[in-house]
Amino acid sequence: MNSSLAQSSQTDLISQSKIKALGFMVGNWKGNGWMMRGPNKSEFNQIENIQFKLDSTAILIEGLGKVKGRIIHNALAILSYNKETEAYSFRSYLPSGQNAEFQAELINEKLFWYPNKNMRYIIWINENEQWQETGEYNRDGTWIQFFEMTLNRVE
């Protein structure tokens, strides 16, 4: 057997520790939100299914957003930690076949992830134990909100 093909059964404790720090996200969530589309504010319903995977060294995120029963958002993401670069990775996949890897970081118990250098999403648990997420873009050094989502934990 070629040893390069053998899988190690050892859990990477550094990655596990970093991913467990994001445990606040894990669970099933349901609620609603809004986003700006040009000058118009569009409201939507959202569910998120978040699970630890691979002995808590990765998080699987499945999100589904709808407006009046029509799917407007359908995405899968894998959140992991790279101990070589000492950074979180947020890899997102869409039904269109598009996928990309984004920078992410944990700051004061909030997950920030950056689709590009002028856009960020921030996820945290608010004072009501709800998933709170905002999206912002940077215009001339000022962050302007274009997205907000508030979800309740469901069993």
XYZ file of all heavy atoms in Angstrom, residues 25-30 48-51 152-155:
119
model
N -22.481 28.751 16.131
C -23.248 28.712 14.888
C -24.002 27.399 14.695
O -24.993 27.352 13.967
C -22.297 28.881 13.692
C -21.561 30.179 13.642
S -20.293 30.200 12.341
C -21.235 29.806 10.878
N -23.517 26.338 15.322
C -24.034 24.995 15.057
C -25.486 24.863 15.529
O -25.837 25.289 16.624
C -23.126 23.935 15.718
C -23.745 22.549 15.626
C -21.743 23.970 15.081
N -26.314 24.301 14.665
C -27.722 24.075 14.974
C -28.568 24.283 13.740
O -28.066 24.522 12.632
N -29.862 24.197 13.942
C -30.827 24.476 12.886
C -31.469 25.818 13.200
O -31.904 26.047 14.337
C -31.887 23.376 12.811
C -31.287 22.058 12.374
O -30.552 22.001 11.397
N -31.579 21.003 13.105
N -31.544 26.678 12.207
C -31.987 28.049 12.385
C -33.049 28.402 11.348
O -33.003 27.930 10.222
C -30.808 29.007 12.226
C -29.674 28.734 13.156
C -28.622 27.888 12.959
C -29.460 29.317 14.440
N -27.781 27.918 14.036
C -28.267 28.794 14.965
C -30.170 30.257 15.200
C -27.774 29.161 16.206
C -29.672 30.627 16.437
C -28.487 30.081 16.929
N -33.991 29.253 11.749
C -35.058 29.676 10.843
C -35.460 31.101 11.191
O -35.552 31.449 12.362
C -36.260 28.741 10.996
C -37.394 29.005 10.043
C -38.484 27.961 10.217
C -39.591 28.179 9.208
N -40.650 27.175 9.358
N -31.091 27.819 7.986
C -29.672 27.458 7.985
C -29.526 26.177 8.797
O -30.070 26.078 9.899
C -28.805 28.556 8.629
C -28.803 29.871 7.896
C -27.869 29.921 6.704
O -26.968 29.048 6.594
O -28.015 30.846 5.892
N -28.832 25.202 8.242
C -28.524 23.955 8.942
C -27.005 23.913 9.066
O -26.306 23.815 8.066
C -29.060 22.765 8.148
C -28.778 21.449 8.822
O -28.131 21.378 9.870
N -29.255 20.383 8.225
N -26.513 24.003 10.296
C -25.080 24.104 10.554
C -24.655 22.912 11.407
O -25.224 22.684 12.477
C -24.734 25.405 11.329
C -25.526 26.605 10.816
C -23.239 25.636 11.355
C -25.202 27.059 9.441
N -23.645 22.168 10.940
C -23.203 20.960 11.641
C -21.682 20.885 11.727
O -20.999 21.255 10.779
C -23.664 19.715 10.888
C -25.130 19.589 10.661
C -25.423 18.429 9.706
O -24.649 17.487 9.586
N -26.549 18.512 9.021
N -33.928 32.219 14.476
C -34.126 31.564 15.756
C -33.716 30.104 15.660
O -33.932 29.458 14.635
C -35.603 31.654 16.185
C -36.011 33.074 16.454
O -35.436 33.756 17.292
N -37.004 33.550 15.704
N -33.157 29.597 16.735
C -32.773 28.190 16.790
C -34.034 27.338 16.830
O -34.957 27.633 17.583
C -31.925 27.931 18.035
C -31.260 26.566 18.043
C -30.424 26.358 19.311
N -29.283 27.262 19.415
C -28.088 27.029 18.902
N -27.857 25.912 18.236
N -27.113 27.883 19.074
N -34.072 26.302 15.996
C -35.219 25.370 15.986
C -34.663 23.964 16.236
O -33.514 23.673 15.943
C -36.001 25.423 14.654
C -36.675 26.764 14.493
C -35.123 25.125 13.455
N -35.472 23.113 16.787
C -35.038 21.739 17.082
C -35.529 20.769 16.044
O -36.412 20.944 15.326
C -35.539 21.310 18.468
C -34.995 22.184 19.575
C -33.479 22.327 19.606
O -32.778 21.313 19.382
O -32.988 23.433 19.832
